[in-house]
Amino acid sequence: MTIRETIEEMERRTLSPYATLNENSKGREVDEPQCDIRPLFQRDRDRILHCKSFRRLKNKTQVFLDPQGDHYRTRMSHTLEVSQNARTIGKALRLNEDLVEAIALGHDLGHTPFGHAGERTLNKLCQGGFVHSEQSVRIVEKLEKDGQGLNLTWEVRDGIRNHQSSTIPATPEGKIVRLSDKIAYINHDIDDAIRGMVLTEDMIPKHLRDTLGHSTTERLDNLIHDVVTTSLRNIEIMDVECRNDLEPVAMSKEMEEAMFELRRFMFTNVYQNPVAKSEEEKAQRMLSQLFEYYMDHIEVIPDKYRRLMERDQDPKDRVVCDYIAGMTDQYAVTKFNELFMPQSWRGEGF
């Protein structure tokens, strides 16, 4: 028996009946030999961790564009916080931690430079629209490894695609990441907004602080505990009463309503705050000009993107969006300066 098979046998004995087992995976789009050490979802986690798109997250905006300070979140630190929250919940519920972590690490790979401002810009410019969750799937299926993709399992791709509020993942592990994403960004964005003097703790409505907690640490602790206790209670009822109207991963109604009210508060006071978002219009104009330039000069983008037009007949605007979405904040600024700002004369002279 290989190490992988031993791990799979241990999953059968120790994980919850609601867990997604490696041996029950729907598999990969392209069959490949199994590893003798790592089960499927662990290999997926490793592939995401080592890919170029993941490394670029460290230089992509979370909320504040190019913040002057070492402690503001980036898209990378957000991803790691989502992963940690999700693993804590997954372990407590005896679900598949490797699947949870793979989905969490991959969920934001498709984010643009300059955060949601960049996403909104490309969504307007691309004829088929642009949504970062779909772009994350496009990256792992097609764009990574020079057009080969990462060949991830169906369960990981489903969790990445459906991590936003408007859709529901098929696995309980994906549902954990979907909740953990919101828990993470609402709370760490409050922390960054307080650090940036856009917000104070006292500005958060008192009834929300009384329900959720009076600090970022308290709120994280209370929300994660609530998901665990609510889910365990649901599972117990489902097992005893054979009910199918409950979810094995859920948040209590009171905490969920308070969390979404806090999210609305953040939209009004931070995400749409003219001080915090003062540079977004410049970033949007910059990406619009880059898009127009590359549409007119498709020959200058890297070969691996242009091959998508030749091999897969992908529309030109989609391929241009692929290239721009993959840029870090600083690389987008650098390319803009190269293309549109006058450069110093470098003639030989006499």
Side-chain angles (χ1 to χ4, degrees):
M1 181 180 287
T2 65
I3 294 173
R4 171 184 56 78
E5 290 169 332
T6 301
I7 293 172
E8 290 173 347
E9 196 276 330
M10 187 168 58
E11 284 184 351
R12 288 193 296 273
R13 288 188 291 104
T14 62
L15 292 188
S16 163
Y18 299 95
T20 306
L21 303 183
N22 278 278
E23 64 183 8
N24 294 334
S25 170
K26 294 182 180 180
R28 309 183 186 280
E29 286 193 323
V30 179
D31 286 336
E32 56 184 76
Q34 287 259 41
C35 177
D36 62 333
I37 296 177
R38 297 170 299 163
L40 289 171
F41 302 140
Q42 185 180 347
R43 291 185 79 187
D44 284 359
R45 189 268 320 270
D46 295 349
R47 289 177 183 188
I48 292 168
L49 189 65
H50 290 290
C51 77
K52 293 177 181 177
S53 299
F54 183 80
R55 295 198 293 275
R56 290 197 295 268
L57 294 178
K58 68 183 171 136
N59 290 316
K60 290 193 176 191
T61 289
Q62 172 59 25
V63 172
F64 297 97
L65 271 64
D66 192 24
Q68 298 302 303
D70 294 334
H71 301 131
Y72 289 93
R73 269 71 170 192
T74 64
R75 191 61 60 179
M76 169 76 82
S77 55
H78 161 72
T79 295
L80 295 177
E81 290 183 40
V82 173
S83 176
Q84 185 56 53
N85 292 344
R87 284 185 58 199
T88 298
I89 296 169
K91 178 174 283 191
L93 299 181
R94 292 190 298 120
L95 298 177
N96 195 311
E97 275 190 78
D98 287 336
L99 177 55
V100 165
E101 191 172 17
I103 295 169
L105 293 179
H107 82 282
D108 269 357
L109 292 178
H111 252 297
T112 63
F114 311 117
H116 288 286
E119 181 176 14
R120 289 192 297 271
T121 301
L122 294 189
N123 187 47
K124 292 176 183 176
L125 295 170
C126 189
Q127 189 171 0
F130 184 96
V131 181
H132 79 269
S133 55
E134 290 294 338
Q135 186 68 13
S136 297
V137 175
R138 182 169 167 83
I139 283 171
V140 301
E141 288 184 343
K142 181 179 284 193
L143 299 182
E144 268 293 338
K145 296 183 68 175
D146 293 329
Q148 297 179 58
L150 301 180
N151 196 29
L152 304 182
T153 56
W154 181 89
E155 291 78 9
V156 173
R157 288 181 285 124
D158 170 80
I160 291 172
R161 174 177 281 115
N162 296 303
H163 76 269
Q164 294 184 277
S165 299
S166 57
T167 54
I168 304 294
T171 65
E173 290 83 1
K175 292 170 185 173
I176 286 176
V177 174
R178 183 172 175 269
L179 282 174
S180 297
D181 183 34
K182 296 170 183 59
I183 292 170
Y185 76 67
I186 291 170
N187 285 288
H188 66 50
D189 291 352
I190 290 174
D191 191 43
D192 280 357
I194 291 172
R195 179 174 290 106
M197 294 185 290
V198 173
L199 198 65
T200 65
E201 183 69 36
D202 290 342
M203 290 171 64
I204 300 171
K206 184 176 183 301
H207 70 282
L208 294 180
R209 285 183 282 138
D210 289 342
T211 301
L212 296 170
H214 291 263
S215 69
T216 297
T217 301
E218 268 190 44
R219 285 186 288 272
L220 280 170
D221 188 61
N222 290 338
L223 284 164
I224 290 170
H225 270 84
D226 183 79
V227 174
V228 171
T229 55
T230 302
S231 300
L232 288 174
R233 185 166 57 248
N234 282 4
I235 289 171
E236 183 178 358
I237 295 171
M238 291 163 69
D239 288 344
V240 173
E241 301 180 12
C242 298
R243 288 172 56 179
N244 57 12
D245 60 325
L246 297 175
E247 286 284 349
V249 175
M251 186 180 288
S252 69
K253 185 176 181 181
E254 179 189 22
M255 293 293 273
E256 185 174 47
E257 288 177 352
M259 184 180 74
F260 276 97
E261 186 178 346
L262 181 58
R263 182 174 180 266
R264 291 191 293 272
F265 168 85
M266 288 294 290
F267 266 94
T268 301
N269 292 275
V270 177
Y271 303 142
Q272 297 169 349
N273 183 295
V275 176
K277 297 300 179 180
S278 58
E279 298 298 300
E280 280 193 356
E281 186 176 346
K282 296 177 186 177
Q284 290 174 317
R285 288 180 180 177
M286 184 184 344
L287 294 186
S288 295
Q289 287 184 254
L290 286 173
F291 179 86
E292 291 172 9
Y293 180 85
Y294 291 126
M295 286 293 287
D296 292 336
H297 302 86
I298 193 69
E299 71 280 358
V300 304
I301 73 172
D303 289 345
K304 65 179 181 179
Y305 292 101
R306 284 187 282 117
R307 280 198 294 269
L308 296 173
M309 296 169 59
E310 300 163 6
R311 185 190 70 186
D312 300 334
Q313 303 297 303
D314 286 354
K316 182 166 70 170
D317 62 337
R318 174 62 61 190
V319 173
V320 170
C321 281
D322 288 337
Y323 181 44
I324 294 175
M327 295 179 178
T328 62
D329 295 8
Q330 191 54 54
Y331 187 74
V333 172
T334 298
K335 298 307 292 183
F336 181 85
N337 287 336
E338 286 178 5
L339 295 172
F340 298 108
M341 300 299 288
Q343 306 296 312
S344 300
W345 172 248
R346 295 185 178 87
E348 293 296 330
F350 293 98

